[in-house]
Amino acid sequence: MSDKKLSLKFAEDSIIEPEVIAAARTHSLELGVEPVTPAVGSHLALLAAATGAKTIIEVGTGVGVSGLWLLRGAPDAVLTTIDIEVDHQQSARQAFADAGIAAKQTRLITGRASDVLPRMNEGSYDIAFIDADSASILDYVQHGLRMVRTGGTVIVAHALWRGRVADPAQRDETVANFRLLLKETLASDAVLSALSPVGDGLLMLTKVGE
């Protein structure tokens, strides 16, 4: 294993999850739903805390692992989270309750993000986290940047898409979409951007202009 892979594995393995998040992770894996890694979760918590987030929107509820991490960093925030799977959201609701999160702090919307996001208010959120439907990633990020306030942050999971984005031999549509997203956002004056290799790649975009 290369030094870089060893360092990345060390960084991933160094995170100790709170018991309630670890339990949600176990349930997620039992259901076959891939949760964010502990290292990605720690990034989410840190960004939520650093932003002083009060309003968070999430595309891709899963069974609540990422939402728990976000609210760990911003315990007074209100989380709006969107997913097409009602059963997963019921599990997430239970995970939030188990963590002692008040029901008024979470708003779970069941539906297709492509239908829901256009109805969400502009500039109303401090953080938008996107972890769903890679085929629609460009649209979701565009909505995310519309929905966050200036100074708010859009966070995109799987930005290196299974290690395929860095491989020039990989040219499928999903890889092409992520490459285009990275190319446009990393060169944009409207956002400050950073790309972390944790998890499957985490792209962070702070909105500084229109």
Side-chain angles (χ1 to χ4, degrees):
M1 186 178 291
S2 70
D3 289 346
K4 287 185 177 179
K5 287 184 178 179
L6 281 171
S7 295
L8 183 57
K9 184 177 186 303
F10 181 84
E12 289 281 356
D13 293 345
S14 67
I15 305 301
I16 300 174
E17 284 190 308
E19 184 176 342
V20 68
I21 302 182
R25 174 179 304 283
T26 297
H27 185 49
S28 182
L29 294 172
E30 289 172 348
L31 292 175
V33 180
E34 181 183 3
V36 297
T37 69
V40 169
S42 67
H43 278 61
L44 296 179
L46 185 148
L47 288 166
T51 305
K54 297 299 182 185
T55 53
I56 301 171
I57 187 165
E58 175 184 49
V59 183
T61 309
V63 301
V65 175
S66 52
L68 288 169
W69 272 113
L70 287 161
L71 290 173
R72 178 172 172 80
D76 296 325
V78 174
L79 172 69
T80 298
T81 181
I82 305 164
D83 203 293
I84 196 171
E85 298 289 345
V86 65
D87 291 343
H88 295 169
Q89 287 201 322
Q90 289 175 349
S91 294
R93 194 185 305 277
Q94 185 61 55
F96 296 148
D98 291 344
I101 296 167
K104 65 182 180 181
Q105 282 188 256
T106 58
R107 178 189 180 201
L108 282 71
I109 300 175
T110 305
R112 295 184 182 278
S114 57
D115 296 329
V116 175
L117 291 177
R119 304 199 300 267
M120 308 311 288
N121 291 334
E122 183 174 345
S124 298
Y125 297 92
D126 299 311
I127 285 179
F129 176 54
I130 299 169
D131 184 12
D133 188 13
S134 57
S136 301
I137 192 63
L138 295 173
D139 287 340
Y140 291 171
V141 172
Q142 185 176 11
H143 278 297
L145 290 170
R146 176 186 63 80
M147 292 185 297
V148 297
R149 60 170 173 79
T150 299
T153 298
V154 176
I155 310 167
V156 185
H158 301 294
L160 295 174
W161 194 244
R162 318 299 184 194
R164 296 164 66 87
V165 169
D167 182 354
Q170 304 297 328
R171 300 181 180 180
D172 62 76
E173 184 176 359
T174 298
V175 169
N177 284 340
F178 275 108
R179 285 180 182 150
L180 179 59
L181 172 65
L182 291 170
K183 179 181 179 181
E184 291 188 350
T185 55
L186 293 173
S188 174
D189 293 331
V191 297
L192 295 175
S193 57
L195 176 62
S196 169
V198 297
D200 190 26
L202 195 68
L203 178 63
M204 297 158 279
L205 308 168
T206 295
K207 183 176 177 180
V208 296
E210 299 298 336

